[in-house]
Amino acid sequence: MTTVESRSSVAAVGERWARVDGRAKVRGELQYAADQPVRPCLDVAVHRSTRPHAKITAIDTSRALAAEGVVAVVTGADLYAEFGDRLMTGPAFSDQPCLAYGKVRYVGEPIAAVIAHGAKQAREAAELIEVSYDELEPVHDVDKAVLGAPFVHDELRPSIVFGDLKHLRGKRDTNVNYEYNLRKGDPSSVSGTTVSYDFWCPPTHHVPIELPFAAAWCEGERLELLATTQTPSYVRQSLADLLDLPLNRVRVRTAPLGGSFGAKMYDRLEPLVAALAWTQKMAVKITATREEAFLLTTRHGCAVAGSMTADENGMIVASTSDVRYDTGAYADVGPRITAKSGLVAPGPYKVDNVHVRSRCVYTNKPSAGPFRGFGVPQVTWAHESLADELARQLGEDPVEFRRRNMLREGDIAPVGTPMHSADFLGSLDAVTEAIEWGTPFVKQEGTLVRGRGVAVGMKAVLTPTISNAVVQLNQDGSASLLISTIDMGQGSDTIMAQIAAEVLCLGEGDVRVVQADTDVTPYDTITAGSRSTYHTGNAVRLAAENMRDKLVELAAERFGVVATDIKLTSDGLVSAQTQENVSVSELLHGHFGARGTTLTAEANFSTSWQPYDHENGLSPQVTEHWFAGAAAVQLTVDTATGRVHIEHLAVAGDVGRAINPAMVEQQLSGAAIMGIGHALFDQMVFDEGQIVNGTLLDYQLPSIKDMPDKLTPIIIESPHRTGPFGAKGVGETTIIPLAPAIANAVRDATGVRITQLPLTPERILTALEEQS
Amino acid sequence: MREIELKVNGLRRKLGVADDELLLDVLRREFGTTSVREGCGVGACGACTALVSGKSVSTCLSRAARFDGAEITTADGLPADDEVVDEFVANRAMQCGYCIPGFVMMAHELLGENPQPTDEEVVEHLEGNICRCGTYSEIHAAIKAAATRRAAKNERATA
Ligand code: FES
Ligand code: FES
């Protein structure tokens, strides 16, 4: 018998492990979906609507069919004949057909698909399709759409995914597909100093650099699909519903994503390729061009009419918000955004009198869906501009004003839920300290005026959701982790490996995460809303703990001691009583009597909530946990050109516990850089429903030139009692307060309060002119 | 259809290309170089960057037929001990990774022309490449580190 010195904890959690596949990514050898070897596929291209709102009276496909290389042309009407109402998909409302039939609802909506040998042939033939329309009056703007006709849909069609929308089925004559109301106290009953403004955020686009891709084919009586999706489990269900197949006859495979930020979720290209593959019995693929990607989904444009009132002690006593999300022609997950973001419209403040009215509104535009922040940046833009302006009008320091009013541990948020592990104060203090808030600075140099601004963000994690994990421990001591969380750059493959490794005392590189494949990896609600670290992370932790228990039992049997006597260390299993030890490899070999065997353990982790009251919007537990973040900025505005230059941007996010601090910093910085775009120039521009800047030549994105002179990401760790090792997610946290922080700094520098995004040079110059 | 000859990552091949075929598509299809990728198709993102005789080219805008006889390098063809690759890895200059090979090739072009670029020169050179994950600081640091390492290597070589 040998005695081992036990290194009982191999540090995995909290370590800056290198990103899985880092070298393959740098060399470009990592295979994304479109790089994967699949069977030869025919190419699909679609013919798109040129009208924002019209009845389709006739479609002539004959010229397209006769074109070289064309194998088939399929219209929405053809698919409707096959699938009936099942053709309509969508996470909240079954309102979106993969090819329009009867009616088109936005410019760019797909009407017919061409299947051809080669993408070029398919695209050229798609141009030859002729559609006759009977034009209907369109509605382009949320404020018009809420008033009444014209209606984008004749009738609301809630899907079966969200049971709580069922009561809306059959509702007619409205463009408002969902309304969330939060009512607490009576804002009209209080007096004091009030500020109120109308705010606007335009629709923006995610622009992940990888383009959306989907391929589908039949494998006997099954449908197989490989796609750029961050929701494989959802897509499997959606396609099974569409094709009326049991779940085990639909297989959804994924690949690492070249970014998504919400763009590659729910029903995108998948229903179309699945319907074509299934009806035509052909292997087909579609790669969206960048122009087409702009039409697939957007971030909600959003109007907020808001007010905030403070009493003579500088306490916020009332807050009101009228929020209108422009969801475009199809609801997608807009109703969820409307509610989940509406409930944080008052911001991270203690307020007794609150009224929020948050509505999801159809218009004749491309459909809006989830985008990093899930609608919260839009309402934060309002509440953080209001809080700032209120402080300034009271003659107070905006930081002190926020500190005094901020929700703290145990406080009840306006929505009725007590706060835990949401360190707004720590985040605020960290960012303001970083930019040296309160120390004097040179206010003006020639035409340059300098200012500082701050903003705080609050978001609820998506709840309830379900995650599963399976750990396979191989006889040699290496492990495979089966989860359906998608690594799209956030680093989940690395941190999930760290969580499993921490429990099982494994080292860097010992745990491999298996690519999500619904035939292989277990159900996971979605990879989104910064939920995976907490939810899937907990499932992984539990599965690894189950595995540890199994190993301990096997060792106890082997040593003839009780299980409580056994400890798992990085050197294997050791008995405290006898000092006997065995490596995992030997233990498993002894147990199975063979090399290369596997031991399997699994776990589920589900969260629950208490649905908000439909009358007043309140809930004692509206979410599993909260995200807190803050941004502070020092910048200059050139009063001659209107240009903003960021000297220092500090961002902080409370992540509970950083499983991998390096990746947390990248998430904090990445979200902040995306937020700079939203604050200063990012926007989709429409003219009569037609997108006019839908190429990367015209749509501006932050480049290395837009980086602040200094960017400081700060990790705040306020452990969550039920997080895996205290951890929560982070992906969205710092995009939330970014735009108001910049706008507040512009206000500080210039004295002008701008209430529309983005803060383009023209907009700033106009505001400066109006002021003088 | 035209017959051309390309030398891609040291591999010389004759092949037939259609007159309007893009270099991007030919590299991916004929040479399996997955590191060149379409991100925008209009020369505005840099994801499709390859080096032709050391000069960066947006392969999404370039007709393959024009490159008869050219020597092309893509990120997946770089030598195993490439210091730019090493420094990108060491500096964690990758998130989703999709844009990164384009940046690696831009870095090679820059260091080829200007072995000790200033911060401003790095920024100027990379301005046309988009990283939506926002990996700019890490990319910048990686390029500076690669420059330093190359200089040290060259010093050793000449010493
Ligand atoms: S794909 Fe060539 S530059 Fe974007
Ligand atoms: S690493 Fe994702 S786009 Fe650059």
Side-chain angles (χ1 to χ4, degrees), chain A residues 322-596:
Chain A
D322 180 351
V323 189
R324 285 140 286 146
Y325 287 102
D326 183 348
T327 204
Y330 298 107
D332 198 87
V333 77
R336 271 293 171 276
I337 289 174
T338 301
K340 301 260 175 190
S341 297
L343 61 86
V344 292
Y349 303 110
K350 285 172 279 191
V351 196
D352 287 333
N353 300 286
V354 174
H355 187 184
V356 177
R357 181 185 201 193
S358 180
R359 285 174 285 180
C360 187
V361 185
Y362 283 127
T363 60
N364 292 108
K365 287 217 266 306
S367 167
F371 186 142
R372 199 175 206 173
F374 207 64
V376 177
Q378 291 95 314
V379 293
T380 306
W381 164 239
H383 69 66
E384 284 306 281
S385 294
L386 287 169
D388 206 75
E389 195 55 36
L390 190 51
R392 287 173 195 276
Q393 294 205 3
L394 293 169
E396 216 192 320
D397 177 60
V399 174
E400 280 318 305
F401 177 75
R402 283 182 174 83
R403 291 182 106 251
R404 179 181 329 111
N405 283 286
M406 204 156 253
L407 291 163
R408 289 168 168 77
E409 181 75 22
D411 283 343
I412 313 274
V415 69
T417 302
M419 305 304 291
H420 166 61
S421 171
D423 198 352
F424 301 112
L425 206 60
S427 303
L428 177 65
D429 287 349
V431 294
T432 49
E433 197 179 302
I435 70 156
E436 298 176 344
W437 187 273
T439 62
F441 59 94
V442 182
K443 247 331 247 191
Q444 182 149 17
E445 293 173 76
T447 60
L448 295 185
V449 288
R450 185 171 282 112
R452 286 178 183 156
V454 68
V456 186
M458 170 192 199
K459 184 180 179 291
V461 76
L462 180 64
T463 313
T465 72
I466 301 159
S467 288
N468 292 278
V470 175
V471 179
Q472 282 195 1
L473 191 60
N474 302 308
Q475 181 267 321
D476 64 358
S478 67
S480 307
L481 185 57
L482 281 68
I483 49 175
S484 293
T485 287
I486 309 292
D487 199 326
M488 43 199 171
Q490 85 280 36
S492 56
D493 282 359
T494 312
I495 69 143
M496 293 305 159
Q498 283 180 263
I499 291 172
E502 176 78 26
V503 175
L504 293 171
C505 299
L506 297 173
E508 189 169 354
D510 287 345
V511 183
R512 177 185 137 71
V513 175
V514 174
Q515 203 64 65
D517 173 345
T518 58
D519 262 12
V520 178
T521 56
Y523 179 88
D524 189 64
T525 304
I526 53 177
T527 306
S530 312
R531 68 173 278 285
S532 297
T533 300
Y534 179 87
H535 291 85
T536 310
N538 262 323
V540 168
R541 178 182 58 88
L542 291 169
E545 285 173 3
N546 288 344
M547 176 61 73
R548 185 181 58 199
D549 292 349
K550 284 190 171 185
L551 292 174
V552 163
E553 243 161 68
L554 290 179
E557 240 172 70
R558 180 180 171 118
F559 302 152
V561 298
V562 292
T564 48
D565 194 47
I566 303 284
K567 205 168 149 70
L568 175 63
T569 74
S570 58
D571 296 313
L573 294 109
V574 59
S575 157
Q577 193 190 325
T578 66
Q579 290 297 299
E580 209 175 342
N581 69 83
V582 61
S583 69
V584 168
S585 171
E586 270 173 71
L587 180 71
L588 292 186
H589 192 274
H591 177 66
F592 289 111
R595 297 184 71 226

Side-chain angles (χ1 to χ4, degrees), chain B residues 18-77:
Chain B
D19 287 343
D20 57 353
E21 244 184 311
L22 296 173
L23 184 58
L24 170 66
D25 296 327
V26 171
L27 287 173
R28 286 179 64 88
R29 190 185 64 231
E30 300 292 330
F31 294 87
T33 55
T34 51
S35 66
V36 287
R37 306 166 172 140
E38 180 168 334
C40 67
V42 292
C45 76
C48 65
T49 307
L51 295 188
V52 178
S53 305
K55 284 261 168 239
S56 66
V57 162
S58 293
T59 59
C60 71
L61 293 182
S62 314
R63 282 211 297 259
R66 272 185 39 219
F67 290 86
D68 190 12
E71 286 204 21
I72 301 175
T73 314
T74 63
D76 51 333

Side-chain angles (χ1 to χ4, degrees), chain A residues 1 85 109 332 447 605 673:
Chain A
M1 189 181 78
D85 281 347
E109 179 162 19
D332 198 87
T447 60
F605 183 78
I673 293 166

Side-chain angles (χ1 to χ4, degrees), chain A residues 102-177:
Chain A
K103 202 174 168 186
V104 289
R105 295 183 177 86
Y106 67 93
V107 176
E109 179 162 19
I111 298 172
V114 174
I115 303 174
H117 292 281
K120 192 163 156 267
Q121 282 77 358
R123 287 198 182 118
E124 281 170 6
E127 296 289 304
L128 302 175
I129 294 172
E130 278 162 45
V131 180
S132 313
Y133 302 98
D134 220 349
E135 302 230 24
L136 299 165
E137 197 192 331
V139 56
H140 296 306
D141 164 285
V142 265
D143 288 329
K144 282 222 190 77
V146 290
L147 296 177
F151 300 114
V152 179
H153 293 267
D154 298 332
E155 191 182 320
L156 299 186
R157 310 164 65 112
S159 80
I160 45 177
V161 178
F162 294 131
D164 59 324
L165 298 176
K166 250 188 232 134
H167 66 287
L168 293 172
R169 186 166 294 278
K171 198 165 168 198
R172 302 187 71 88
D173 296 344
T174 181
N175 287 315
V176 179
N177 60 50

